[in-house]
Amino acid sequence: MSELAGIAAKSAQPAVKTTAVIAASGGLVASFALPASAAPASHPSTKGAPAAVAPVAVQAPKTAAPQAADAFGVIGFKATAKPKPKPKPKPVVVAVPQRTAPVASRSTQRTAPVVSKPAVGGILGIAAQYAGIMYVYGGTTPAGFDCSGYTQYVFRQAGISLPRTAEAQRQATTPVSNPQPGDLVFFGSPAYHVGIYAGNGMMWDSPRTGKAVALRSIWSSDVTYGRP
């Protein structure tokens, strides 16, 4: 009876857990417990504590060696070196010649117009514009002219200044013996009347009260001519 009780007591002991260490492919170590086989019963004739059960060695699964860095998984892609970017070309600096203002030659420089005696047609054309204006004693405008007021106004339009009276105009001009259209014709000395010579014995003038500016014949031989 005592031997049977001892065997039953040994069978009731907890099973020894065997710990196995497996090396995982990722470098982690996992441990887990495996149930130990029940300790074999001692021979009924064996006395004392049961012999220790040797731990079961579990061999860790072999992991494949890490693949080369230039392979991705098992698909077969190979890494290629990224080409180095080409250096940007340096900008080409082109020297632009500075523009300078052209210097005008003396022949092309603009100068203030020089007022000179206009062409004959100019003076006669201006004189003809006032045909029909009635004589007014002392008149110097298109509202009415006397003889010297008329000649003074016509030449002023052409940029030529003349004195106010007939005698003053005679003294201010250059006497000529071969008059040209546009010269002044003076009656008497000192002059009492003045007109604008139009050629062929004709003149423009404002003669006297009751008469108007018109182209008429030179009626006297006692005349002189002057060129403004």
Side-chain angles (χ1 to χ4, degrees):
M1 290 296 291
S2 60
E3 292 180 0
L4 295 174
I7 294 170
K10 292 178 179 179
S11 301
Q13 291 180 356
V16 179
K17 294 182 180 180
T18 302
T19 302
V21 179
I22 299 175
S25 62
L28 301 176
V29 177
S31 63
F32 58 92
L34 294 176
S37 301
S42 301
H43 193 270
S45 64
T46 304
K47 294 181 181 180
V53 180
V56 178
V58 179
Q59 186 177 4
K62 295 181 179 180
T63 59
Q67 296 181 355
D70 60 350
F72 296 91
V74 296
I75 302 177
F77 292 108
K78 290 185 178 180
T80 57
K82 185 178 181 180
K84 294 182 180 180
K86 294 182 179 180
K88 294 182 178 180
K90 294 182 180 180
V92 179
V93 179
V94 179
V96 179
Q98 295 181 351
R99 294 183 178 180
T100 57
V103 178
S105 62
R106 292 184 178 180
S107 60
T108 58
Q109 288 180 346
R110 293 183 178 181
T111 57
V114 178
V115 177
S116 59
K117 181 178 178 180
V120 171
I123 290 291
L124 295 182
I126 295 171
Q129 293 177 10
Y130 305 103
I133 293 178
M134 300 302 295
Y135 177 93
V136 173
Y137 179 80
T140 58
T141 69
F145 294 114
D146 62 11
C147 65
S148 58
Y150 171 64
T151 55
Q152 182 188 52
Y153 188 87
V154 169
F155 277 87
R156 183 187 301 155
Q157 305 312 302
I160 300 174
S161 178
L162 290 177
R164 171 66 184 87
T165 65
E167 176 59 21
Q169 292 178 9
R170 186 183 71 86
Q171 295 181 11
T173 58
T174 302
V176 292
S177 57
N178 184 23
Q180 300 295 319
D183 290 339
L184 291 175
V185 52
F186 299 101
F187 293 76
S189 181
Y192 61 88
H193 183 64
V194 61
I196 301 171
Y197 183 63
N200 299 323
M202 305 292 290
M203 68 177 180
W204 285 94
D205 73 339
S206 179
R208 63 181 183 273
T209 302
K211 296 289 184 177
V213 172
L215 179 66
R216 54 180 50 90
S217 298
I218 299 173
W219 69 87
S220 173
S221 59
D222 185 14
V223 295
T224 58
Y225 298 92
R227 186 164 296 161

